[in-house]
mmCIF file of all heavy atoms in Angstrom:
data_model
loop_
_atom_site.group_PDB
_atom_site.id
_atom_site.type_symbol
_atom_site.label_atom_id
_atom_site.label_comp_id
_atom_site.label_asym_id
_atom_site.label_seq_id
_atom_site.Cartn_x
_atom_site.Cartn_y
_atom_site.Cartn_z
ATOM 1 N N SER A 77 -66.526 35.008 26.464
ATOM 2 C CA SER A 77 -66.497 36.137 25.548
ATOM 3 C C SER A 77 -66.707 37.391 26.385
ATOM 4 O O SER A 77 -67.561 37.412 27.275
ATOM 5 C CB SER A 77 -67.604 36.016 24.511
ATOM 6 O OG SER A 77 -67.460 34.825 23.779
ATOM 7 N N LEU A 78 -65.939 38.428 26.103
ATOM 8 C CA LEU A 78 -65.896 39.603 26.978
ATOM 9 C C LEU A 78 -66.163 40.876 26.202
ATOM 10 O O LEU A 78 -65.892 40.957 25.002
ATOM 11 C CB LEU A 78 -64.516 39.693 27.637
ATOM 12 C CG LEU A 78 -64.066 38.484 28.435
ATOM 13 C CD1 LEU A 78 -62.591 38.616 28.794
ATOM 14 C CD2 LEU A 78 -64.900 38.317 29.677
ATOM 15 N N GLY A 79 -66.648 41.875 26.918
ATOM 16 C CA GLY A 79 -66.902 43.149 26.265
ATOM 17 C C GLY A 79 -66.727 44.322 27.203
ATOM 18 O O GLY A 79 -66.680 44.164 28.427
ATOM 19 N N TRP A 80 -66.602 45.491 26.599
ATOM 20 C CA TRP A 80 -66.602 46.768 27.310
ATOM 21 C C TRP A 80 -67.809 47.574 26.840
ATOM 22 O O TRP A 80 -68.067 47.672 25.639
ATOM 23 C CB TRP A 80 -65.332 47.570 27.033
ATOM 24 C CG TRP A 80 -64.103 47.054 27.701
ATOM 25 C CD1 TRP A 80 -63.117 46.275 27.135
ATOM 26 C CD2 TRP A 80 -63.695 47.274 29.048
ATOM 27 N NE1 TRP A 80 -62.139 46.003 28.048
ATOM 28 C CE2 TRP A 80 -62.465 46.609 29.235
ATOM 29 C CE3 TRP A 80 -64.234 47.985 30.121
ATOM 30 C CZ2 TRP A 80 -61.781 46.628 30.449
ATOM 31 C CZ3 TRP A 80 -63.555 48.002 31.332
ATOM 32 C CH2 TRP A 80 -62.340 47.323 31.486
ATOM 33 N N PHE A 81 -68.514 48.132 27.784
ATOM 34 C CA PHE A 81 -69.628 49.025 27.521
ATOM 35 C C PHE A 81 -69.395 50.314 28.297
ATOM 36 O O PHE A 81 -68.599 50.349 29.231
ATOM 37 C CB PHE A 81 -70.952 48.382 27.955
ATOM 38 C CG PHE A 81 -71.384 47.244 27.077
ATOM 39 C CD1 PHE A 81 -70.773 45.999 27.171
ATOM 40 C CD2 PHE A 81 -72.403 47.410 26.154
ATOM 41 C CE1 PHE A 81 -71.160 44.945 26.364
ATOM 42 C CE2 PHE A 81 -72.800 46.353 25.340
ATOM 43 C CZ PHE A 81 -72.177 45.133 25.446
ATOM 44 N N ARG A 82 -70.107 51.354 27.921
ATOM 45 C CA ARG A 82 -70.013 52.616 28.657
ATOM 46 C C ARG A 82 -71.390 53.245 28.756
ATOM 47 O O ARG A 82 -72.276 52.975 27.946
ATOM 48 C CB ARG A 82 -69.016 53.569 28.001
ATOM 49 C CG ARG A 82 -69.389 54.041 26.606
ATOM 50 C CD ARG A 82 -68.227 54.822 25.986
ATOM 51 N NE ARG A 82 -68.534 55.282 24.633
ATOM 52 C CZ ARG A 82 -67.657 55.863 23.825
ATOM 53 N NH1 ARG A 82 -66.395 56.042 24.238
ATOM 54 N NH2 ARG A 82 -68.010 56.251 22.619
ATOM 55 N N GLN A 83 -71.519 54.090 29.766
ATOM 56 C CA GLN A 83 -72.816 54.700 30.021
ATOM 57 C C GLN A 83 -72.632 56.079 30.624
ATOM 58 O O GLN A 83 -71.784 56.282 31.502
ATOM 59 C CB GLN A 83 -73.630 53.818 30.974
ATOM 60 C CG GLN A 83 -75.072 54.235 31.148
ATOM 61 C CD GLN A 83 -75.871 53.203 31.915
ATOM 62 O OE1 GLN A 83 -75.337 52.415 32.691
ATOM 63 N NE2 GLN A 83 -77.176 53.184 31.687
ATOM 64 N N THR A 84 -73.432 57.016 30.152
ATOM 65 C CA THR A 84 -73.494 58.349 30.721
ATOM 66 C C THR A 84 -74.875 58.545 31.332
ATOM 67 O O THR A 84 -75.834 57.859 30.944
ATOM 68 C CB THR A 84 -73.218 59.432 29.666
ATOM 69 O OG1 THR A 84 -74.125 59.238 28.564
ATOM 70 C CG2 THR A 84 -71.800 59.332 29.150
ATOM 71 N N PRO A 85 -75.006 59.460 32.279
ATOM 72 C CA PRO A 85 -76.294 59.641 32.964
ATOM 73 C C PRO A 85 -77.430 59.910 31.994
ATOM 74 O O PRO A 85 -77.303 60.736 31.091
ATOM 75 C CB PRO A 85 -76.029 60.847 33.873
ATOM 76 C CG PRO A 85 -74.566 60.785 34.145
ATOM 77 C CD PRO A 85 -73.951 60.300 32.865
ATOM 78 N N GLY A 86 -78.521 59.189 32.193
ATOM 79 C CA GLY A 86 -79.705 59.391 31.379
ATOM 80 C C GLY A 86 -79.692 58.679 30.043
ATOM 81 O O GLY A 86 -80.652 58.784 29.278
ATOM 82 N N LYS A 87 -78.607 57.958 29.752
ATOM 83 C CA LYS A 87 -78.519 57.245 28.476
ATOM 84 C C LYS A 87 -78.386 55.746 28.710
ATOM 85 O O LYS A 87 -77.977 55.293 29.788
ATOM 86 C CB LYS A 87 -77.334 57.771 27.665
ATOM 87 C CG LYS A 87 -77.491 59.201 27.201
ATOM 88 C CD LYS A 87 -76.402 59.567 26.214
ATOM 89 C CE LYS A 87 -76.603 60.970 25.662
ATOM 90 N NZ LYS A 87 -75.570 61.338 24.664
ATOM 91 N N GLU A 88 -78.701 54.984 27.681
ATOM 92 C CA GLU A 88 -78.560 53.546 27.765
ATOM 93 C C GLU A 88 -77.087 53.147 27.692
ATOM 94 O O GLU A 88 -76.248 53.885 27.167
ATOM 95 C CB GLU A 88 -79.325 52.873 26.617
ATOM 96 C CG GLU A 88 -80.828 52.995 26.731
ATOM 97 C CD GLU A 88 -81.547 52.159 25.681
ATOM 98 O OE1 GLU A 88 -80.869 51.559 24.824
ATOM 99 O OE2 GLU A 88 -82.784 52.113 25.725
ATOM 100 N N ARG A 89 -76.819 51.968 28.240
ATOM 101 C CA ARG A 89 -75.462 51.453 28.178
ATOM 102 C C ARG A 89 -75.088 51.189 26.716
ATOM 103 O O ARG A 89 -75.847 50.577 25.974
ATOM 104 C CB ARG A 89 -75.358 50.188 29.020
ATOM 105 C CG ARG A 89 -73.962 49.812 29.415
ATOM 106 C CD ARG A 89 -73.976 48.860 30.587
ATOM 107 N NE ARG A 89 -74.385 49.524 31.826
ATOM 108 C CZ ARG A 89 -74.314 48.963 33.026
ATOM 109 N NH1 ARG A 89 -73.848 47.717 33.148
ATOM 110 N NH2 ARG A 89 -74.718 49.604 34.096
ATOM 111 N N GLU A 90 -73.900 51.636 26.322
ATOM 112 C CA GLU A 90 -73.488 51.616 24.916
ATOM 113 C C GLU A 90 -72.321 50.651 24.728
ATOM 114 O O GLU A 90 -71.353 50.674 25.508
ATOM 115 C CB GLU A 90 -73.055 53.032 24.512
ATOM 116 C CG GLU A 90 -72.413 53.169 23.160
ATOM 117 C CD GLU A 90 -71.735 54.519 22.967
ATOM 118 O OE1 GLU A 90 -71.269 55.116 23.949
ATOM 119 O OE2 GLU A 90 -71.674 54.955 21.800
ATOM 120 N N PHE A 91 -72.380 49.859 23.679
ATOM 121 C CA PHE A 91 -71.289 48.951 23.334
ATOM 122 C C PHE A 91 -70.051 49.734 22.940
ATOM 123 O O PHE A 91 -70.136 50.717 22.203
ATOM 124 C CB PHE A 91 -71.728 48.045 22.186
ATOM 125 C CG PHE A 91 -70.612 47.212 21.621
ATOM 126 C CD1 PHE A 91 -70.224 46.045 22.245
ATOM 127 C CD2 PHE A 91 -69.951 47.600 20.460
ATOM 128 C CE1 PHE A 91 -69.195 45.273 21.733
ATOM 129 C CE2 PHE A 91 -68.927 46.843 19.934
ATOM 130 C CZ PHE A 91 -68.547 45.674 20.569
ATOM 131 N N VAL A 92 -68.892 49.272 23.416
ATOM 132 C CA VAL A 92 -67.618 49.893 23.037
ATOM 133 C C VAL A 92 -66.760 48.906 22.262
ATOM 134 O O VAL A 92 -66.310 49.192 21.154
ATOM 135 C CB VAL A 92 -66.850 50.386 24.278
ATOM 136 C CG1 VAL A 92 -65.491 50.955 23.868
ATOM 137 C CG2 VAL A 92 -67.656 51.422 25.044
ATOM 138 N N ALA A 93 -66.514 47.735 22.840
ATOM 139 C CA ALA A 93 -65.636 46.749 22.207
ATOM 140 C C ALA A 93 -65.915 45.382 22.808
ATOM 141 O O ALA A 93 -66.431 45.279 23.917
ATOM 142 C CB ALA A 93 -64.174 47.122 22.397
ATOM 143 N N ALA A 94 -65.555 44.342 22.063
ATOM 144 C CA ALA A 94 -65.702 42.973 22.558
ATOM 145 C C ALA A 94 -64.592 42.116 21.981
ATOM 146 O O ALA A 94 -63.989 42.456 20.953
ATOM 147 C CB ALA A 94 -67.068 42.414 22.193
ATOM 148 N N ILE A 95 -64.356 40.992 22.645
ATOM 149 C CA ILE A 95 -63.277 40.105 22.218
ATOM 150 C C ILE A 95 -63.698 38.663 22.464
ATOM 151 O O ILE A 95 -64.369 38.366 23.445
ATOM 152 C CB ILE A 95 -61.976 40.458 22.978
ATOM 153 C CG1 ILE A 95 -60.758 39.758 22.375
ATOM 154 C CG2 ILE A 95 -62.099 40.176 24.472
ATOM 155 C CD1 ILE A 95 -59.438 40.330 22.864
ATOM 156 N N ASN A 96 -63.307 37.784 21.561
ATOM 157 C CA ASN A 96 -63.705 36.390 21.720
ATOM 158 C C ASN A 96 -62.761 35.662 22.682
ATOM 159 O O ASN A 96 -61.824 36.246 23.220
ATOM 160 C CB ASN A 96 -63.784 35.693 20.363
ATOM 161 C CG ASN A 96 -62.409 35.404 19.771
ATOM 162 O OD1 ASN A 96 -61.468 36.143 20.020
ATOM 163 N ND2 ASN A 96 -62.303 34.334 19.010
ATOM 164 N N TRP A 97 -62.980 34.358 22.872
ATOM 165 C CA TRP A 97 -62.326 33.638 23.952
ATOM 166 C C TRP A 97 -60.808 33.619 23.853
ATOM 167 O O TRP A 97 -60.117 33.665 24.870
ATOM 168 C CB TRP A 97 -62.863 32.202 24.021
ATOM 169 C CG TRP A 97 -62.459 31.352 22.856
ATOM 170 C CD1 TRP A 97 -63.055 31.301 21.631
ATOM 171 C CD2 TRP A 97 -61.346 30.467 22.803
ATOM 172 N NE1 TRP A 97 -62.381 30.423 20.815
ATOM 173 C CE2 TRP A 97 -61.332 29.886 21.509
ATOM 174 C CE3 TRP A 97 -60.363 30.077 23.716
ATOM 175 C CZ2 TRP A 97 -60.371 28.969 21.122
ATOM 176 C CZ3 TRP A 97 -59.401 29.155 23.334
ATOM 177 C CH2 TRP A 97 -59.410 28.615 22.049
ATOM 178 N N ASN A 98 -60.269 33.554 22.643
ATOM 179 C CA ASN A 98 -58.811 33.464 22.538
ATOM 180 C C ASN A 98 -58.178 34.747 22.020
ATOM 181 O O ASN A 98 -56.982 34.795 21.777
ATOM 182 C CB ASN A 98 -58.397 32.291 21.665
ATOM 183 C CG ASN A 98 -58.825 32.445 20.213
ATOM 184 O OD1 ASN A 98 -59.473 33.422 19.849
ATOM 185 N ND2 ASN A 98 -58.458 31.505 19.377
ATOM 186 N N GLY A 99 -58.981 35.786 21.848
ATOM 187 C CA GLY A 99 -58.443 37.082 21.473
ATOM 188 C C GLY A 99 -58.171 37.284 20.005
ATOM 189 O O GLY A 99 -57.623 38.320 19.619
ATOM 190 N N ASN A 100 -58.565 36.349 19.156
ATOM 191 C CA ASN A 100 -58.245 36.528 17.738
ATOM 192 C C ASN A 100 -59.364 37.201 16.952
ATOM 193 O O ASN A 100 -59.258 37.384 15.741
ATOM 194 C CB ASN A 100 -57.847 35.199 17.092
ATOM 195 C CG ASN A 100 -59.003 34.239 16.954
ATOM 196 O OD1 ASN A 100 -60.105 34.511 17.428
ATOM 197 N ND2 ASN A 100 -58.766 33.110 16.314
#
């Protein structure tokens, strides 16, 4: 299972998107 997170200086890492094993 995979995800994208993002982070700016001084802030916590933020969830952006995620996808399960087969993409559905």
Side-chain angles (χ1 to χ4, degrees):
S77 301
L78 303 169
W80 287 99
F81 289 76
R82 64 188 179 187
Q83 189 171 24
T84 54
K87 293 190 176 182
E88 291 188 356
R89 199 161 289 189
E90 172 193 30
F91 172 81
V92 177
I95 191 166
N96 74 330
W97 69 277
N98 65 358
N100 70 355

